[in-house]
Amino acid sequence: MDSTRRPILFVSSPESGLLNPLLTLAGELSGRGVEELWFATDEPRRRDIEAIIGKTPVEFASLGEVVPEMSAVTWDDETYRAVTQPSRFKAHRAVLRHTCDPKLRVEKYHALETAVDKIEPALMIIESMSLFAVELAITKKIPFMLSVPFMPSNVLTSHTPFSKSYTAPGFPVPHSGLPFEMTFTQRITNRVFKLRTLAMFLNPSLSKVMAQDGPLRRELGISDAARGQMARIDNAEAILSYSVTGLDYPFPVPAKMRLVGAMVPPLPQAPGDHRLSDWLDKQDSVVYMGFGTITRLARDQVQSFVEVARRLDGRHQILWKLPSDQQEFLPPVAELPGNLRIETWVPSQFDVLAHPSVKVFFTHAGGNGYHEGLYFGKPLVVRPLWVDCYDQAVRGEDFGISLTLDRPETVDPDDVVDKLTRVIEDGSFSERAQQFALRQREAGGRAAAADLVLASPSLK
């Protein structure tokens, strides 16, 4: 590579929760005038990359179309029900079974390899679930940083009992939804969770699929150094974690992991959206309901949320981001309560959360939502959706910043109204959220992450 060239290549899956933090980081570097920025992801996200406006362009490198098995947005209803079922282990198992086929990475690996050979990056910034990109970086000996939009322990804790882990053996295993201080029964459940995960891969049906991994690795020329759950951690130059101390259970965080807080773009993110901001200006107390891009609400759940708004009428306004395909479950407009405002799409969730009229964030508690709500000092009410959402939910309760619905799958209006009312009226929730807002701002966010990137020895 020409010694004067120092290209930086971002790589991410197309899922919004994984992609968005890197869009913010790429935008920060572009705004600083950093040259030769590239972003590799799936073709449907081309416009998002091309929409980054700064002093220097961010070039798009296409990884082709979305692989349906790898994108939760495209899963069929049966798969969606399996990965969001109440049983924590069965949901965890369903996700792994659906996504662990080694053949799924071949197309992306080849596409990224073509891009890498063209760009010759000095540094790669890789979203933590893009394991094909980690394998390629390790194989080609390209320095890389890992982007982690989850809690730190999510990527540092082993899912099986005999693998390397950066946390203690009794630490809550990811996706279990178990607390740090466990009862005797919960400690047994935690151990069994890991054993069952190991047994799942020893099952004949899945082990037959996984037997293809070795031959595929040899065919692709993947280095043996890329093997193992912790290869992405051990081989990373640095790990960018969008969290702060105190939002995860305590454990010794490795020096290479840098806690920079939520990745929030410059605000207002949608300065021309006066329609929604003017409405917020007129309200005293707003509950913002936003359950991410993956959540699929059924008719009875939608109607239960409408009933929640009805019961809060006269006390709080409700702003609900509800996709158009789920709005067909709503009652006629004339029957909706007057305090309910429904938006198909919110131009900027950051702008909404930043508004002082918003008093609580009613969320599924994905990794980004958990941290972003608290960045703006908003306490949470949580309807966890799947896998890591339950981990964030239990931590939020333990840290005094949120309450979780008793039965998220059924959406009981009595329970929802009770949780929202308690979080809004008990000032301790807001006080704790404000403390974490200050801590996140001190962590530096996008500016701190960009500084770490530019300080990389590979760019010198």
Side-chain angles (χ1 to χ4, degrees), residues 26-37 53-57 454:
E28 175 70 14
L29 292 173
S30 172
R32 296 188 186 192
V34 177
E35 300 283 350
E36 296 203 74
L37 299 173
I53 300 176
K55 295 179 181 178
T56 51
L454 295 178

Side-chain angles (χ1 to χ4, degrees), residues 283-405:
Q283 313 308 323
D284 294 323
S285 178
V286 176
V287 174
Y288 173 53
M289 293 170 43
F291 302 116
T293 57
I294 296 174
T295 298
R296 305 176 193 178
L297 297 174
R299 181 180 300 275
D300 61 329
Q301 295 167 336
V302 169
Q303 294 178 352
S304 290
F305 284 129
V306 172
E307 177 60 23
V308 168
R310 195 182 314 280
R311 296 186 190 185
L312 293 175
D313 200 359
R315 291 184 287 163
H316 309 287
Q317 297 290 316
I318 311 295
L319 174 60
W320 186 7
K321 184 177 71 174
L322 182 66
S324 56
D325 61 338
Q326 296 170 46
Q327 291 185 24
E328 64 179 351
F329 301 140
L330 291 166
V333 175
E335 298 178 13
L336 293 175
N339 66 329
L340 177 59
R341 182 182 179 116
I342 296 173
E343 295 287 342
T344 301
W345 184 251
V346 173
S348 171
Q349 180 163 283
F350 295 111
D351 290 348
V352 170
L353 290 171
H355 200 283
S357 294
V358 174
K359 304 304 181 185
V360 61
F361 184 20
F362 191 6
T363 173
H364 66 303
N368 288 326
Y370 175 68
H371 292 95
E372 290 166 4
L374 296 170
Y375 179 91
F376 294 103
K378 311 300 182 183
L380 315 175
V381 170
V382 177
R383 178 185 181 262
L385 175 65
W386 66 336
V387 290
D388 68 304
C389 298
Y390 284 86
D391 299 333
Q392 274 93 238
V394 70
R395 284 159 175 77
E397 291 219 44
D398 282 352
F399 303 150
I401 52 179
S402 68
L403 292 176
T404 304
L405 300 190

Side-chain angles (χ1 to χ4, degrees), residues 426-440:
D426 184 342
S428 66
F429 289 97
S430 180
E431 181 180 347
R432 288 288 291 160
Q434 291 290 342
Q435 292 172 6
F436 283 111
L438 177 61
R439 195 172 296 180
Q440 292 210 63

Side-chain angles (χ1 to χ4, degrees), residues 6 9 101 150 195 210 297 339 410 458:
R6 293 292 184 271
L9 174 60
D101 187 341
F150 312 107
L195 289 169
M210 296 306 297
L297 297 174
N339 66 329
T410 59
S458 60

Side-chain angles (χ1 to χ4, degrees), residues 89 92-93 96-97 159-162 191-207:
F89 179 76
H92 165 78
R93 180 177 62 189
L96 292 179
R97 283 182 170 175
H159 287 84
T160 56
F162 308 117
R191 294 174 187 172
V192 171
F193 200 102
K194 288 188 174 185
L195 289 169
R196 293 179 72 186
T197 300
L198 177 63
M200 180 182 70
F201 285 99
L202 298 176
N203 182 279
S205 61
L206 192 55
S207 62

